[in-house]
């Protein structure tokens, strides 16, 4: 069965600095990888996905993620963090044989002015 | 608003009572998913519908839980004889195709006293 690990519970960065939120995955076949963001009292919002193709995926709000097959990672990145990026970020994975998507435990990103 | 909607947003019930939640997916989406999220965790897959057919159920979905999607549009999730451990946020999501991203509703927060 597929699984996801987000090794950091909390990431703190200063506004304007680059940010990285880490994610590693495990699947038996080809992975389909997703990042979602959750703001307080709001539902999960889709940021970006990797299905196939270029390893660097660009998504909403200036976020991007790099798929690394050899390291089984799909880290979320942004060149310049904003205070408004502060939220809970979830990485998720599914493989072709399953319809359920497995989410990581989440990483709380705090961007300080 | 044409997003995924859920009703009610909050439900407080006493242990042993039955509760039912409703999800209205995005209209053209034929795939509908239910998840459960507890504090500090990512969403956990419960069940999945393609049109009106329930195609997959998690081991988490005990026999007290039942879900329906009678006409392939809205879905209901019923929990019978609620227990305190059922307290969680219940999320619904929908998608257009198998490998597309899922769009989430705001969730129903269940508190079992």
């Amino acid at each position: 069965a597929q699984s996801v690990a987000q090794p950091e519970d909390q990431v703190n960065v200063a506004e304007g600095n680059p940010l990285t939120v880490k994610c590693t995955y495990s699947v038996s076949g080809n992975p389909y990888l997703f990042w979602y963001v959750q703001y307080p009292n709001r539902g999960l919002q889709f940021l970006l996905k990797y299905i196939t193709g270029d390893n660097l995926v660009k998504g909403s709000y200036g976020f991007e993620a790099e798929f690394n097959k050899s390291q089984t990672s799909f880290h979320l990145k942004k060149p310049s963090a904003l205070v408004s990026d502060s939220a809970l970020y979830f990485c998720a994975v599914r493989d072709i044989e399953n319809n359920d998507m497995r989410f990581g435990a989440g990483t709380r990103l705090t961007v300080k002015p | 608003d044409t997003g995924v909607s859920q009703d009610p947003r909050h439900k407080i019930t006493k242990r042993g009572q039955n509760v039912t939640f409703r999800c209205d997916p995005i209209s053209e989406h034929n795939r509908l998913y239910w998840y459960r999220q507890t504090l500090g965790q990512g969403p956990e897959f419960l069940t999945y519908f393609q049109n009106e057919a329930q195609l997959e159920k998690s081991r988490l979905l005990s026999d007290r839980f039942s879900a329906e999607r009678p006409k392939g549009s809205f879905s209901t999730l019923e929990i019978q004889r609620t227990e305190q451990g059922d307290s969680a946020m219940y999320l619904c999501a929908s998608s257009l195709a198998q490998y597309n991203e899922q769009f989430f509703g705001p969730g129903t927060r269940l508190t079992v006293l």
Side-chain angles (χ1 to χ4, degrees), chain A residues 79-104:
Chain A
S80 179
L82 301 173
V83 173
S84 58
D85 292 330
S86 298
L88 195 54
Y89 290 81
F90 291 97
C91 181
V93 66
R94 56 175 294 183
D95 67 36
I96 193 170
E97 295 183 358
N98 292 288
N99 288 298
D100 61 299
M101 193 152 62
R102 297 295 173 92
F103 284 80

Side-chain angles (χ1 to χ4, degrees), chain B:
Chain B
D1 190 341
T2 57
V4 178
S5 61
Q6 293 186 245
D7 183 71
R9 294 290 303 275
H10 303 273
K11 179 70 177 179
I12 300 174
T13 192
K14 293 182 179 179
R15 188 174 51 190
Q17 297 295 305
N18 299 343
V19 295
T20 300
F21 310 141
R22 177 180 169 123
C23 170
D24 287 88
I26 294 171
S27 59
E28 63 267 27
H29 287 185
N30 62 351
R31 296 166 183 265
L32 186 146
Y33 308 80
W34 284 99
Y35 292 85
R36 180 172 65 190
Q37 185 179 19
T38 53
L39 197 62
Q41 299 297 319
E44 297 173 297
F45 170 80
L46 292 178
T47 190
Y48 153 69
F49 289 86
Q50 183 172 336
N51 299 313
E52 66 277 7
Q54 188 175 18
L55 297 185
E56 202 162 325
K57 292 197 293 186
S58 164
R59 292 191 308 271
L60 295 174
L61 211 66
S62 78
D63 56 6
R64 296 185 297 105
F65 287 68
S66 62
E68 295 182 342
R69 195 183 182 198
K71 298 182 180 180
S73 56
F74 73 91
S75 175
T76 58
L77 177 68
E78 181 184 16
I79 308 174
Q80 296 182 325
R81 305 181 304 280
T82 53
E83 302 173 356
Q84 287 185 326
D86 297 331
S87 296
M89 177 75 84
Y90 289 84
L91 299 170
C92 176
S94 69
S95 71
L96 185 58
Q98 185 177 8
Y99 307 123
N100 282 20
E101 60 272 22
Q102 296 175 19
F103 292 86
F104 283 80
T108 295
R109 182 169 296 282
L110 173 66
T111 302
V112 182
L113 302 177

Side-chain angles (χ1 to χ4, degrees), chain A residues 31-35 46-60 62-68 73-79, chain B residues 101:
Chain A
Y32 300 99
L33 295 155
F34 303 82
W35 275 102
F46 168 75
L47 279 179
L48 51 80
K49 67 181 178 184
Y50 172 83
I51 303 296
T52 186
D54 289 341
N55 290 341
L56 186 63
V57 178
K58 294 188 182 296
S60 307
F63 284 92
E64 58 188 28
E66 186 170 10
F67 171 64
N68 188 317
S73 67
F74 190 57
H75 300 332
L76 181 70
K77 300 181 180 183
K78 187 173 183 180
Chain B
E101 60 272 22

